[in-house]
Amino acid sequence: MQTFLNAFFTGGSRGAIYALVALGLVLVWRGAGLINFAQMGQAMFSAYVASTLIAQGKNYWIAFIAALVVGAVLGAAIDILVIRPLKKKSGSAILNSPSMREAIPVIASLGILGILQALAGMIWAGDERGFPAPVSTSAISLGGKSAPFTPFDLFVIGTVFAILLATSLFLSKTSVGLAMRASALNSEVARLSGIRTRSIRTLGWVISGAVASIAGLFITPATNIAPNSLDLILIVGFAACVIGGLDSLMGSVLGGFILGFTTSFIGVYDVPEDIFIAIFAMLILVMLFRPQGIFGSKAGRRV
Amino acid sequence: MFKKMDTALRNLGVAALFFVVVLLVGKNVGPYNQSQIAVALIIFIGVLSINILTGLSGQLSLGQGALMAIGGYSCALMINNWHLSMWIAIPLSLVSAAIAGYLLGLVAARLSGPYLAGTTLLLALALPTIANRFETVFGGETGLSIDFGTPTQWLSGIVSQDSFELWQLFVALIFATVSLFLTCNLFTSRSARSWRALRDHEPAAELMGINISRTKTQIFAISSAFAGVAGALYGLRGLVGPSVFGIALSLSLLTGSILGGVRSILGAGIGAVIVVFLPDWIGKAMHPFALADQLTNYLPALLSSLLLVLTIVINPGGIASSLYALARRARGNFKK
């Protein structure tokens, strides 16, 4: 029972982190129509900045905010420097076909990931670094027995739920959020009705970058950061999006939790090496039987 | 019919010229450059597999390294366990990679852009864990080492027995030439036209009577066969393991493909040369500055990623498309 509860709470806090990664991916996907493979590169970069600040003796929260800002700025930079010029290029021969229009930005995001990783390697010499947790990461003791969760687990789950709540309120209650939803739904119509879709799209990149940075900071107490240490997290986040449905915020968040529990239970009851095989199998099954994801809506096809 | 024969003959000529030129260059450079040329030839086959898949049919695979790994592992296993000759093992590993690609294609046929990209990337990233999971077969983290063999008797006249590098180059060159010839024919074939139709307008292609999912699966299998050959050759350099076929390999294939030109065979060659020799060039250019290790270690990665992004933003057609445009303009001026 103790093992089960341990796995359950680890899964919950891990799932919360995956949900954040998935949320970041979906925000960019809905705005720009591409999976941003550079996302965890942004997170890695801002985690390095934060850990440098901590090493200089700064407060945890100052480092936390700095990481948020770095992630957001990187997100905006990617959109303005790479994705926007690419959209303008759509007349060139190679971008004529719809499949290439989808593929080329994805390759660009991988290139950006490469740039960020190489830069981090140059600046921080590829050091593996830790990042402290704001609260204790050892189990709470309740009446002499150790509880199956740590304060940090609770902190992560609590923060993630606060972020999810804030995001959904932002999207449903504010006018900017409404504009974001409108331009995700139909960017042409949104532009005609006076929404500045370009800025709105950049805003999506900014929020996604900040959210991903938080995910990066929450992972680092468990595993040290290195230039490529977050690649696997990204791919789990991607699987979460696909399993939940790429166009559904709710779905991808749930997908994150599903994967969090799955990986944690496999890690405890089976061997950790099976985790990836399990994720891959889940991904393939979902794509074969419900390609739009568990919560996604089916896209129509225009002939 | 005659036109078809003409094209085939011309392609044969191109391939023969390629073989002779690379062999002559290879015989006249040092051992280090010989092995670098061998790697470039292998990467060339790998980039061709991407240009077939992405350039012709518009499907994007980020995990081409994983398909190369399948070729590499099956070749290594056949040579180590069954003691097959390399000349049998490599074509057989082509078959196993093609089968894997066919299975992947069955899934891929149902997926569009981002889903396919992510799934293939996941496959490439999951490779080390699979090698660890079945450690007894795949040798885990360290991988399998294989003996490349020495030139057979009748070949020693062409390549000398004692130079391992030249032998390596020679073997890679044979397979690269065959791949080049086949790809040239493929690019001008009827199937390629239907693949382009599928890439440019899927519903229209379907209305023309092209079976979308069967065609996509076919393309995946063919492209994987090329990747399998590249992987087998890449492993024959001595080691087959997760570190050899890492995500970095998939990325450099993709970089080579985009830099050179994703829709062109010439582009695949240019891209392969750039990807393989860029670290050397940077090393030479940076040598006088005596930079710190931490900078020089990451400089090639930084520069190649930067080139990738810049190419996409400035000239998504790659170097080859600019060359073709230049040639067209020159011809136009000449006619005037």
Side-chain angles (χ1 to χ4, degrees), chain A residues 237-276:
Chain A
F238 166 77
C241 291
V242 173
I243 289 172
L246 255 180
D247 52 359
S248 148
L249 279 181
M250 215 23 225
S252 56
V253 165
L254 276 174
F257 279 102
I258 292 174
L259 281 179
F261 288 124
T262 314
T263 55
S264 148
F265 279 111
I266 289 179
V268 170
Y269 287 102
D270 190 19
V271 286
E273 276 88 17
D274 276 345
I275 288 177
F276 254 92

Side-chain angles (χ1 to χ4, degrees), chain A residues 53-65:
Chain A
L53 286 177
I54 295 264
Q56 286 170 359
K58 296 274 192 318
N59 183 308
Y60 177 89
W61 292 105
I62 292 180
F64 189 91
I65 304 277

Side-chain angles (χ1 to χ4, degrees), chain B residues 151-165:
Chain B
T152 33
Q153 209 59 52
W154 61 273
L155 271 173
S156 353
I158 307 175
V159 292
S160 56
Q161 191 112 25
D162 46 357
S163 166
F164 178 71
E165 284 83 7

Side-chain angles (χ1 to χ4, degrees), chain A residues 29 35 37 81-82 85-86 89 92-95 97-100 102-104 106-108 110-112 114-115 117-119 121-126 227 231-232 234-235 238 242 246 271 273-274 276-277 279-280 283-284 287-289 291-292 301-303, chain B residues 54-55 57-60 62 104 106-107 110-115 117-119 121-123 125-126 129-130 132-134 198-204 206-207 247 251 254 258 262-263 294-296 298-299 301-302 305-306 308-309 312-317:
Chain A
W29 166 256
I35 301 281
F37 286 110
L81 296 179
V82 180
L86 210 52
K89 274 258 160 196
S92 89
I94 198 129
L95 290 167
S97 59
S99 51
M100 291 310 279
E102 274 179 359
I104 291 284
V106 172
I107 303 177
L110 273 175
I112 294 163
I115 293 177
Q117 290 186 344
L119 275 182
M122 284 181 161
I123 301 173
W124 293 285
D231 289 359
L232 292 178
L234 175 84
I235 220 66
F238 166 77
V242 173
L246 255 180
V271 286
E273 276 88 17
D274 276 345
F276 254 92
I277 300 172
I279 294 178
F280 194 64
L283 193 62
I284 297 283
M287 285 194 291
L288 284 183
F289 295 108
Q292 71 274 33
R301 193 164 64 148
R302 201 179 300 158
V303 176
Chain B
T54 311
S57 84
Q59 302 184 81
L60 177 61
L62 305 180
L104 191 60
L106 285 181
V107 182
R110 305 179 54 112
L111 307 179
S112 64
Y115 292 92
T119 312
L121 187 65
L122 181 71
L123 194 63
L125 281 168
T129 36
I130 294 173
N132 278 333
R133 181 75 179 85
F134 304 101
L198 187 133
R199 172 193 74 196
D200 290 341
H201 205 296
E202 200 174 301
E206 198 170 7
L207 291 177
I247 188 73
L251 281 189
L254 211 57
I258 296 291
V262 69
R263 289 204 181 152
Q294 103 185 51
L295 290 183
T296 44
Y298 289 94
L299 207 54
L302 178 68
S305 313
L306 208 57
L308 174 63
V309 174
I312 289 178
V313 172
I314 297 168
N315 176 25

